[in-house]
Amino acid sequence: MTRRLLLRHAVAGPLLALAAALVQAQPRPQPEPETALVNVVHLQAAASLDVPRDLLSITLTAVREGTEAAQVQAALKQTLDAALAEARRLARPGDMEVRTGNFSLYPRYGNQGRMSGWQGQAELVLEGRDMNLIAQAAGRLSGMNVTQVAQGLSREALARHEAEVTERAIANYRAKATEIARQFGFNGYVLREVQVSTGEPPRLPVPVAMRAKAAAAEDAAPVPVEMGKGTITATVSGSVVLK
């Protein structure tokens, strides 16, 4: 028994030593040297461009009241159907699109908190690039009043101007990096990382007071519209290594 134990110890000893040597021989991950971030400068530059808004959206609303919910709903549906038929007759793809908006029905309460009837409203939205057509159409839809006018940029205009403003922002970033390198006594720089983002101007809502319109189409006056400008921005941010 004693001889067998001694033999096991004699064999196990060299094996353990060999395993320890193999573990020590494995390459260990080395931390990134601090010199890797030497001469790194973080920069940001931006550019903006004012462009005419070319997308007009007019929201018309019909409001009805009554003692019965079904009565109010039927009245709203009749008014909305008639306005939709007229608007679709005038619509042209791209120039004026027609869609329905919110349709809501809710109880109405009196002074003592008791329900006294029902009230509802339905919306119709005219949207497109032909301002005159949309304004004229809004004036012809009887039974509905203009409640909001919003201005924006079409997808085509946004795509066209985004390329220009992005080019300006990149040029500003490069000029800024070159100037900073010169001020620190370097001959130039190389890009380390960079991000480019663009932002479109939000639609500008212009609430208008509800007003009655003449029912006869020939007496309807166009809604006055004066389109403004929107600002498209582009931002370039990142870091460079001064050389």
Side-chain angles (χ1 to χ4, degrees):
M1 178 67 67
T2 303
R3 183 179 299 175
R4 186 177 297 175
L5 291 176
L6 292 175
L7 180 60
R8 289 181 179 176
H9 284 295
V11 175
L15 291 177
L16 291 175
L18 178 60
L22 290 175
V23 171
Q24 293 179 356
Q26 293 294 328
R28 297 180 180 180
Q30 298 296 325
E32 185 178 0
E34 297 183 358
T35 55
L37 298 180
V38 169
N39 302 333
V40 174
V41 179
H42 297 273
L43 304 174
Q44 179 172 303
S48 60
L49 183 65
D50 293 333
V51 298
R53 298 178 186 268
D54 66 339
L55 189 67
L56 177 65
S57 175
I58 294 182
T59 302
L60 299 101
T61 304
V63 179
R64 297 293 183 269
E65 298 180 352
T67 56
E68 300 293 336
Q71 173 191 0
V72 176
Q73 181 174 328
L76 284 173
K77 183 178 183 302
Q78 181 180 4
T79 302
L80 185 60
D81 286 344
L84 265 174
E86 177 65 15
R88 286 169 177 166
R89 187 180 66 83
L90 300 171
R92 292 199 301 263
D95 293 332
M96 188 182 80
E97 307 283 349
V98 181
R99 60 181 173 86
T100 56
N102 295 329
F103 191 107
S104 58
L105 192 67
Y106 43 88
R108 185 182 57 187
Y109 295 92
N111 295 332
Q112 297 181 353
R114 296 181 179 179
M115 193 177 75
S116 58
W118 291 84
Q119 182 174 339
Q121 64 178 30
E123 292 181 346
L124 182 65
V125 181
L126 310 178
E127 185 175 88
R129 295 191 295 266
D130 193 327
M131 289 71 170
N132 292 329
L133 174 61
I134 296 172
Q136 291 283 350
R140 294 172 63 91
L141 301 182
S142 61
M144 305 193 77
N145 296 306
V146 176
T147 54
Q148 182 172 282
V149 178
Q151 303 173 5
L153 282 179
S154 64
R155 294 179 181 178
E156 294 80 7
L158 184 61
R160 182 171 63 254
H161 295 298
E162 267 188 346
E164 180 181 353
V165 73
T166 299
E167 184 178 355
R168 293 186 183 183
I170 293 175
N172 292 342
Y173 186 88
R174 296 178 61 183
K176 191 172 185 179
T178 300
E179 179 60 20
I180 288 179
R182 185 193 66 79
Q183 292 179 2
F184 277 107
F186 291 87
N187 294 326
Y189 67 91
V190 294
L191 291 176
R192 184 170 180 267
E193 60 176 352
V194 65
Q195 294 180 344
V196 180
S197 60
T198 57
E200 63 181 279
R203 291 197 178 186
L204 179 63
V206 185
V208 296
M210 296 182 66
R211 60 180 179 84
K213 301 194 302 296
E218 58 271 16
D219 295 333
V223 176
V225 175
E226 183 66 30
M227 300 298 286
K229 290 186 176 183
T231 302
I232 302 177
T233 60
T235 303
V236 181
S237 58
S239 59
V240 299
V241 180
L242 303 182
K243 296 292 185 179

